[in-house]
Amino acid sequence: MLASGIWGVSKESIGRVLAAGAGGAVIKSISREPREGHPNPAVIQHGDYLINAIGYANQGMEDARMEFSELKKLKRPVIASAIGKTPEDFALVVGHLTEGNDFSAVELPLSCPHTPGYGTLAGQTTPDNTYRITAAVRDVTKLPLFIKLSPNSEGIGEAAKAAQEAGADGITMGNSLGPGMRINIETRRPVMGFGLGGVSGPAIFPVLLRCVSDVYKAVDIPVIGCGGVSSGKDAIEMMMAGAHAVQLGSAIYYHGLEVFGDALQEMRQWMGQNGYSSVKRLIGAVHG
Amino acid sequence: MDDPALRAPHHDRRMSIPIMFQIDRAVPEAKDVVTLHFRGLLPYRPGQFYMVWLPGINQKPYSLSHHDAEGFGITIKRFGAFSRALSKAKKGDWVGFSGPYGNHFTITKGALFVGGGVGMASLSTAIDLTADARIIIGAVTAAGLVFRKRYASATLVTDDGSAGEKGFVTLPLQRLLDGTKKPPLVLACGPEPMLARVLDICRQAHVPCELSLERYMSCGFGICGKCVLGDRMVCYDGPVFRGEDLYKNEDFGVSKREKTGKKVSLTKSKH
Ligand SMILES: Cc1cc2nc3c(=O)[nH]c(=O)nc-3n(C[C@H](O)[C@H](O)[C@H](O)COP(=O)(O)OP(=O)(O)OC[C@H]3O[C@@H](n4cnc5c(N)ncnc54)[C@H](O)[C@@H]3O)c2cc1C
Ligand SMILES: Cc1cc2nc3c(=O)[nH]c(=O)nc-3n(C[C@H](O)[C@H](O)[C@H](O)COP(=O)(O)O)c2cc1C
């Protein structure tokens, strides 16, 4: 499934990602008011990683509600993503976005590493805050609720447990790593417009894989693995670490939209060759 | 649009972190238009673009308007804060280039080029590779004509008639397509309302066209989704689009998106 913030800015682009083979998609995270985000360069890439500091640029919940109307036509699950500065903010945006729209679930990123007021920079992934935000949104929606955590937070298991206690239906593990930075040596300036940004792509896969494994052990609700996945075999590895489903985003840079269809085919083929008739037996397989 | 020839392969998307060059010289081209020349080599196929970075300020997409064995150049028209800052940059200033991104024009003998304003900047390297190119350059006034000396044989058109024919580039275009020596292909770049008219005229005359489009971009390499145009993405599928693909696009000539992703009407803004 498509991870949040990559391509998912409009219904048409989500439709195209689904047509390319994604089983579902998460929309770009939406805030109460429109946001212009950070100056460019907002995304850079080098070797096996990307650094992004988009800064949650989005059209705001009013426009987004219209943008993502009639999602049923897309025939596959589309997941809303909402951000806020306070638990009330989160609840307001979720209530607004989902009212009258056909979202299949809601994901709350508590974990963006580069936007002041939001995510890890606002301490949203501490167990206490995770509990408060999850509980506030739980009150306003009956849709399945996924909490997206940060690979940086200490004791991810504790944050995941707090989300579970507050009524979350799943944990998305997780957001980009960092923040990281690059310096342009000729001008002695940071390259990123915001100075730093979240690190994603194949380079972070081992870290996120371990995080998925930790969260799987800590909670009973399903885990969605995300971070650096770029092939069917990566997805299988994520599932063996404990993921029920897998998201990817940065891999589109390296392989194009074809990555969704190709990964699915690789999974099917590998599973066939190795005697797996269903993904169920893959989930958490490393834990015996 | 899924023609592989029109599409930059993903492994071509390299150097997505700026590589620095110092400005070698700045040359005024027309009213509010300047070319910055750099020494050094950058890979490029006409129609592609680079994300151009002014350290500490911002980064935006530009085509190369000059590209040869000595170096390369970009031609900038002053609109807002960034193009103003870029236009003011001086010899010795550092400018970063990430790319090249996007697909490219099809080089075709005898092709007809239609450039409106600074749109000439993205056509010029294609013109330089095209045998028997025919060229129409348009601008609001004589002072705004870009590259009229570089392409002395070009047909000039200005809205106010201060140089060449009075009116829009569509007038000589219509005549050339009605004539006996129809070009095999029309390549155009300029304001989108102009491109929409070019597309109509080419369709009626059954002449294929390739149009280079602009949308607000953040990454330039197919990740962030900002430059969405209907179900296409300008950096990922374009910026060069074949007329027959655009004709069906619901956003072309109609709407664009602001920095926030909000959809706005094209005609309400100056774009
Ligand atoms: C693939 C691609 C190639 C490009 N190549 C070039 C190039 O070679 N040379 C070049 O000068 N620019 C080029 N551009 C446009 C460039 O990236 C910037 O958008 C432009 O320089 C304006 O940036 P700004 O920040 O100064 O203005 P903004 O702050 O973005 O705009 C300021 C005001 O000017 C208006 N405006 C901006 N651009 C235009 C326009 N083209 N026509 C009419 N009104 C406009 C805006 O609507 C706004 O009102 C290209 C864009 C793309 C997508
Ligand atoms: C350009 C870009 C924008 C992103 N925007 C968001 C966002 O708005 N909300 C969010 O929850 N995650 C966002 N992310 C994080 C991704 O959803 C994902 O968690 C992260 O990139 C790791 O996965 P990947 O390596 O497959 O890309 C963004 C990532 C990138 C590269």
Side-chain angles (χ1 to χ4, degrees):
Chain A
M1 125 175 65
L2 176 72
S4 176
I6 295 104
W7 277 68
V9 296
S10 77
K11 198 165 61 181
E12 288 79 16
S13 41
I14 285 187
R16 187 157 166 213
V17 170
L18 296 176
V26 188
I27 66 167
K28 168 88 204 153
S29 300
I30 302 298
S31 55
R32 192 168 161 166
E33 306 294 338
R35 290 177 53 88
E36 288 203 347
H38 297 317
N40 282 353
V43 196
I44 61 172
Q45 175 276 339
H46 191 249
D48 266 357
Y49 64 85
L50 276 71
I51 305 182
N52 94 84
I54 295 279
Y56 281 141
N58 77 91
Q59 62 267 63
M61 65 181 186
E62 288 299 338
D63 270 57
R65 172 153 77 172
M66 315 227 274
E67 178 76 51
F68 298 105
S69 60
E70 298 180 41
L71 289 172
K72 280 226 170 73
K73 286 190 185 149
L74 298 180
K75 303 217 169 61
R76 289 192 190 169
V78 178
I79 298 172
S81 175
I83 53 168
K85 290 191 170 172
T86 61
E88 297 72 35
D89 244 17
F90 273 97
L92 182 81
V93 178
V94 169
H96 204 82
L97 267 183
T98 54
E99 193 192 318
N101 277 341
D102 308 320
F103 286 109
S104 302
V106 173
E107 185 179 271
L108 306 180
L110 308 186
S111 42
C112 174
H114 53 75
T115 308
Y118 299 86
T120 54
L121 296 187
Q124 291 179 344
T125 31
T126 63
D128 271 3
N129 287 335
T130 300
Y131 185 92
R132 279 194 207 109
I133 295 167
T134 309
V137 173
R138 183 72 290 171
D139 281 347
V140 299
T141 183
K142 293 198 169 58
L143 291 171
L145 178 60
F146 308 141
I147 304 300
K148 186 169 177 181
L149 296 179
S150 162
N152 313 325
S153 43
E154 302 238 339
I156 305 167
E158 296 310 308
K161 276 184 198 150
Q164 175 174 277
E165 273 167 42
D169 301 292
I171 303 293
T172 304
M173 188 69 247
N175 217 306
S176 49
L177 188 65
M181 73 186 293
R182 290 297 304 265
I183 295 168
N184 175 259
I185 57 177
E186 283 86 5
T187 59
R188 302 174 293 281
R189 277 178 182 277
V191 178
M192 300 298 295
F194 184 61
L196 39 84
V199 185
S200 65
I204 73 167
F205 180 70
V207 180
L208 272 294
L209 190 70
R210 190 269 304 158
C211 292
V212 165
S213 167
D214 283 358
V215 172
Y216 177 82
K217 285 186 279 183
V219 296
D220 307 317
I221 51 179
V223 185
I224 300 171
C226 174
V229 173
S230 37
S231 68
K233 286 184 180 170
D234 287 353
I236 290 171
E237 223 178 311
M238 268 292 185
M239 298 188 90
M240 288 187 169
H244 277 68
V246 174
Q247 298 179 356
L248 59 83
S250 301
I252 297 175
Y253 176 88
Y254 298 94
H255 306 287
L257 281 185
E258 300 86 301
V259 69
F260 291 102
D262 292 350
L264 273 179
Q265 200 190 338
E266 189 178 84
M267 283 182 82
R268 280 202 198 98
Q269 195 179 358
W270 187 91
M271 287 172 63
Q273 283 165 354
N274 291 277
Y276 287 86
S277 55
S278 127
V279 291
K280 282 207 184 103
R281 275 179 53 222
L282 293 175
I283 300 167
V286 74
H287 304 286
Chain B
M1 200 57 1
D2 286 312
D3 175 359
L6 259 179
R7 191 154 174 187
H10 306 301
H11 60 258
D12 253 21
R13 298 179 183 179
R14 60 204 152 205
M15 298 205 301
S16 299
I17 195 163
I19 296 189
M20 306 306 289
F21 292 88
Q22 277 173 298
I23 297 174
D24 183 47
R25 78 208 134 84
V27 178
E29 297 286 357
K31 184 173 181 288
D32 293 335
V33 179
V34 64
T35 297
L36 302 179
H37 290 272
F38 301 84
R39 282 178 189 277
L41 296 178
L42 278 181
Y44 187 69
R45 298 185 74 171
Q48 290 186 303
F49 64 94
Y50 275 87
M51 292 301 284
V52 176
W53 179 48
L54 272 183
I57 300 182
N58 212 330
Q59 183 197 43
K60 292 217 168 183
Y62 292 87
S63 320
L64 297 190
S65 57
H66 296 77
H67 186 244
D68 57 35
E70 314 256 282
F72 58 92
I74 52 175
T75 299
I76 305 121
K77 171 148 190 194
R78 274 187 285 274
F79 283 110
F82 184 71
S83 51
R84 201 167 293 275
L86 203 50
S87 309
K88 278 195 207 140
K90 294 196 177 58
K91 183 180 167 74
D93 286 356
W94 289 103
V95 180
F97 288 82
S98 312
Y101 300 125
N103 63 358
H104 52 84
F105 292 116
T106 312
I107 302 299
T108 309
K109 185 173 190 272
L112 171 63
F113 293 84
V114 184
V118 77
M120 278 302 290
S122 84
L123 295 175
S124 56
T125 55
I127 295 175
D128 294 345
L129 295 182
T130 301
D132 306 326
R134 283 186 281 173
I135 307 160
I136 301 171
I137 305 179
V140 179
T141 66
L145 289 165
V146 174
F147 299 149
R148 63 185 288 190
K149 290 213 182 85
R150 182 169 170 184
Y151 304 114
S153 68
T155 302
L156 305 181
V157 190
T158 51
D159 294 8
D160 67 354
S162 51
E165 189 171 345
K166 180 174 160 61
F168 297 114
V169 290
T170 42
L171 295 170
L173 171 68
Q174 185 80 60
R175 275 202 307 276
L176 281 170
L177 297 193
D178 288 344
T180 46
K181 271 180 63 194
K182 267 194 198 183
L185 178 69
V186 172
L187 300 95
C189 185
E192 205 157 302
M194 172 195 116
L195 296 178
R197 289 287 299 131
V198 168
L199 174 56
D200 280 347
I201 293 171
C202 289
R203 274 176 55 88
Q204 277 161 23
H206 302 288
V207 174
C209 63
E210 291 180 5
L211 310 176
S212 174
L213 302 191
E214 241 186 73
R215 283 293 181 274
Y216 178 75
M217 283 182 188
S218 196
C219 69
F221 47 72
I223 282 290
C224 74
K226 289 268 183 73
C227 61
V228 57
L229 170 89
D231 69 344
R232 302 285 112 181
M233 210 73 90
V234 173
C235 76
Y236 183 87
D237 301 294
V240 178
F241 291 88
R242 288 191 306 203
E244 65 256 42
D245 296 315
L246 281 183
Y247 186 66
K248 295 166 259 164
N249 193 297
E250 64 195 64
D251 281 347
F252 174 64
V254 178
S255 51
K256 61 172 188 171
R257 280 173 195 263
E258 295 178 335
K259 265 187 210 169
T260 61
K262 184 184 166 73
K263 210 177 196 175
V264 293
S265 157
L266 257 182
T267 46
K268 269 200 213 132
S269 71
K270 279 189 280 174
H271 251 104

